[in-house]
Amino acid sequence: MDLLHLKYFQTVAQYESMTRASEKLHVAQPAISKIISGLERELNVSLFDRTGKFIRLNEYGRVFLDKVDQSLSILEDVRQELNDMTGNISGMVDIIAVCAMSLLPDLLGKFRQQYPNIRFHLAQHSVNTPLPTTFNVCITTSPQRVPNCESIPLMTEEIYLAVPSNHRLANRKSIRLIEAADEEFIVLGQGRACAR
């Protein structure tokens, strides 16, 4: 039983298909089948229930998968911690940007100077569609309620209200937004969702 075999098992368990797992891993299906059979012999239990060409993770497989997931996660954490200690930090950061695209070149440039082995996957996102469920950083105009995430303000901007010179609010230095609630506004039309 080695790490590569555990990763292969994890993928087969995810897809519950030798064919799909072999396509994902770019490994021949007979090799995947042989590795899974070897794991089952070594553990002395079947990890999958087999019906013809179909497989389904059984209770032994679910217990084993849980421990494999934990073990591989711990090993990845250790690898990352050692990289952090040596300053050899690498990886991918998934960024979703709803706004403030003008801030990104400077922010990402400074970050890359400090961490040159980090790569970025940037997705421009529309305000009108729900956020994807997985990301590392999201830049948006308003705080999002996403479990296990925290938000920090990057910048604040003043909002100006332009009114005719004879308008009731024309000579005011500031107003509360509620005071303009019944006004008619000229706004940008609703745009299409941004392509990824």
Side-chain angles (χ1 to χ4, degrees):
M1 188 182 309
D2 63 31
L3 286 178
L4 189 59
H5 292 177
L6 295 179
K7 288 179 181 178
Y8 286 0
F9 163 75
Q10 193 180 47
T11 305
V12 173
Q14 176 188 355
Y15 291 108
E16 291 189 321
S17 165
M18 298 283 186
T19 303
R20 290 180 62 198
S22 69
E23 289 168 359
K24 173 75 175 170
L25 296 166
H26 305 289
V27 175
Q29 184 176 334
I32 298 285
S33 297
K34 185 175 178 182
I35 288 166
I36 297 301
S37 295
L39 279 174
E40 290 176 323
R41 273 194 310 277
E42 191 171 341
L43 296 167
N44 203 27
V45 294
S46 291
L47 300 170
F48 296 91
D49 292 332
R50 290 161 173 84
T51 308
K53 293 162 74 172
F54 300 101
I55 62 171
R56 183 158 307 280
L57 201 62
N58 62 27
E59 69 176 307
Y60 302 114
R62 285 190 290 276
V63 168
F64 187 61
L65 177 62
D66 181 55
K67 299 304 180 191
V68 166
D69 288 345
Q70 289 176 38
S71 300
L72 293 178
S73 177
I74 289 168
L75 290 171
E76 179 56 29
D77 289 348
V78 168
R79 187 190 67 77
Q80 191 62 53
E81 188 174 336
L82 294 175
N83 279 339
D84 292 351
M85 289 172 66
T86 62
N88 187 24
I89 300 170
S90 63
M92 175 72 74
V93 177
D94 288 314
I95 301 171
I96 297 172
V98 177
C99 64
M101 293 299 282
S102 60
L103 291 177
L104 285 176
D106 191 44
L107 286 173
L108 299 183
K110 287 178 180 174
F111 191 88
R112 284 293 296 273
Q113 286 175 353
Q114 191 169 356
Y115 304 102
N117 296 325
I118 296 290
R119 295 179 301 134
F120 300 101
H121 176 257
L122 177 62
Q124 190 173 2
H125 194 74
S126 169
V127 173
N128 304 318
T129 57
L131 286 175
T133 55
T134 57
F135 58 85
N136 300 113
V137 176
C138 177
I139 301 175
T140 183
T141 54
S142 59
Q144 300 290 318
R145 291 196 173 131
V146 179
N148 303 317
C149 288
E150 66 177 80
S151 62
I152 57 167
L154 290 177
M155 62 183 286
T156 57
E157 291 182 305
E158 289 185 349
I159 299 175
Y160 292 93
L161 178 65
V163 296
S165 59
N166 62 351
H167 192 277
R168 67 182 175 85
L169 299 172
N171 295 319
R172 301 272 300 274
K173 296 263 185 219
S174 65
I175 67 164
R176 293 176 56 232
L177 195 54
I178 191 75
E179 294 178 75
D182 295 328
E183 299 293 330
E184 292 185 4
F185 287 88
I186 299 171
V187 296
L188 293 173
Q190 185 172 346
R192 295 176 307 179
C194 298
R196 288 189 182 197

